[in-house]
Amino acid sequence: MNRILITGAAGKIGSTLREGMRGRYAVLRLSDIAPLDPARAGEEIMRADLTDLAEVEGAMRDVDCVVHLGAIAGEDTWDKILPHNVVGTWNVFEAARRQGVHRVIYASSHHVVGFYRRARFIDQTVAPRPDGVYGVSKVFGEAVGRLFADKHGLSVACLRIGAFRDKPADRRLLPIWLSPRDAVRLVGCCIDAPDYHFIVVYGVSNNRRNRYRNAGIESLGYRPQDDSEDYAADILSTPDLEDAISRQFHGGLYAQMGFDGDLARIE
Ligand SMILES: NC(=O)c1ccc[n+]([C@@H]2O[C@H](COP(=O)([O-])OP(=O)(O)OC[C@H]3O[C@@H](n4cnc5c(N)ncnc54)[C@H](O)[C@@H]3O)[C@@H](O)[C@H]2O)c1
């Protein structure tokens, strides 16, 4: 893999990958609609709006692998989710197919399975149970990935990212935390792994309270190093702000009727 395109590169995960992967590949091409710092050695900046197929195809030229992060990154209105997450993701896979890109790594979310009971351990083979419009858009993205793998031969990884934070901020995040270092490790493994057809992976750190099982992905070589337990004592000494509904489901607050994306109450 020589030229890696990152969509949504100006965002939180994109900025972390930009730093963490610096110098690892011949070229990191960074794309977003938001402004990006000027390119350094080994970087290219290319603005592209994911809702515009021609722009996305332009960003895809001579690319070996796409890390597709660009999206509305949480619950929102259908009016916003539709263009950025649904149309945008279709455009990324279609542009990759047209440009002969070998591999797409898709930032999915644990909200694809947010309506499973938290008491239950789940792996990636369970049927989707999205907990909101955002989760539905990520189910769509995984389905598009499967289609383009099966029909067009793209190599596709869908990462059901838990909660990417510098450190876990509350009880719900203890099982699902993904540290910045582990995010770089995970995406690096997905870029570098020898050929795979279609894989789904839970993107979490090595959390003692983890409720996800990444069945059968040993070949990926992902060995997370960080553990949210290091923060557990502090978090558990503060009041539990989760309500009775949120507490029951993997998706937490997202599972509540009427949740509109305002996380301020809990984080
Ligand atoms: N942060 C998390 O905890 C988490 C958890 C699960 C999944 N994810 C997924 O990971 C990805 C990255 O998350 P993040 O936390 O870095 O989000 P972020 O909001 O910080 O970054 C998303 C980026 O996408 C860009 N973007 C949005 N619409 C675009 C468009 N039409 N064209 C081009 N760029 C567009 C935004 O400008 C932004 O820079 C998202 O797909 C998100 O759904 C994140």
Side-chain angles (χ1 to χ4, degrees):
M1 298 289 182
N2 287 318
R3 183 174 272 106
I4 313 293
L5 169 68
I6 301 180
T7 74
K12 292 183 282 296
I13 298 178
S15 307
T16 297
L17 296 184
R18 181 179 185 178
E19 286 315 308
M21 296 190 160
R22 198 169 173 213
R24 193 185 293 188
Y25 305 99
V27 178
L28 268 189
R29 181 177 290 168
L30 306 160
S31 183
D32 207 300
I33 38 172
L36 283 148
D37 290 340
R40 301 167 298 186
E43 293 179 344
E44 297 172 351
I45 307 289
M46 204 171 280
R47 189 190 186 282
D49 185 340
L50 295 168
T51 65
D52 184 321
L53 178 57
E55 285 189 20
V56 183
E57 208 182 328
M60 221 56 81
R61 245 163 241 134
D62 301 321
V63 162
D64 300 305
C65 175
V66 181
V67 180
H68 174 39
L69 305 175
I72 302 295
E75 190 64 341
D76 215 313
T77 60
W78 172 241
D79 287 352
K80 280 197 191 161
I81 295 283
L82 176 64
H84 297 284
N85 294 20
V86 176
V87 176
T89 295
W90 176 269
N91 287 346
V92 164
F93 280 98
E94 174 62 7
R97 180 190 71 78
R98 291 186 187 184
Q99 288 298 316
V101 172
H102 175 62
R103 179 168 288 176
V104 177
I105 298 162
Y106 171 59
S108 182
S109 165
H110 71 286
H111 290 294
V112 159
V113 290
F115 253 123
Y116 280 96
R117 298 265 171 187
R118 221 182 269 180
R120 180 173 163 190
F121 282 87
I122 53 175
D123 70 12
Q124 356 48 328
T125 65
V126 297
R129 293 184 79 171
D131 53 24
V133 181
Y134 169 71
V136 166
S137 79
K138 296 296 184 181
V139 175
F140 171 83
E142 291 191 6
V144 177
R146 182 91 234 192
L147 172 70
F148 277 73
D150 288 346
K151 196 170 245 183
H152 304 298
L154 269 74
S155 170
V156 175
C158 297
L159 308 184
R160 290 183 180 169
I161 298 167
F164 173 87
R165 305 282 190 284
D166 287 339
K167 49 185 190 174
D170 59 53
R171 286 159 206 250
R172 186 180 89 85
L173 304 195
L174 290 173
I176 64 172
W177 182 50
L178 176 65
S179 74
R181 295 192 305 176
D182 286 335
V184 173
R185 284 188 190 101
L186 175 59
V187 174
C189 287
C190 290
I191 294 172
D192 298 341
D195 216 23
Y196 51 78
H197 176 63
F198 178 84
I199 55 173
V200 176
V201 182
Y202 287 101
V204 291
S205 282
N206 187 31
N207 305 319
R208 212 166 304 171
R209 294 169 196 246
N210 177 25
R211 310 295 288 174
Y212 301 126
R213 295 281 174 263
N214 278 322
I217 61 135
E218 295 73 21
S219 61
L220 198 57
Y222 174 54
R223 288 184 189 78
Q225 303 295 315
D226 293 316
D227 183 349
S228 61
E229 206 59 23
D230 297 343
Y231 304 92
D234 279 353
I235 289 173
L236 296 175
S237 70
T238 61
D240 182 0
L241 298 178
E242 277 198 294
D243 61 80
I245 298 292
S246 310
R247 200 175 289 129
Q248 293 179 57
F249 297 102
H250 279 270
L253 199 56
Y254 280 54
Q256 271 184 14
M257 192 83 84
F259 175 65
D260 60 1
D262 178 12
L263 284 169
R265 281 177 292 157
I266 193 92
E267 285 190 31

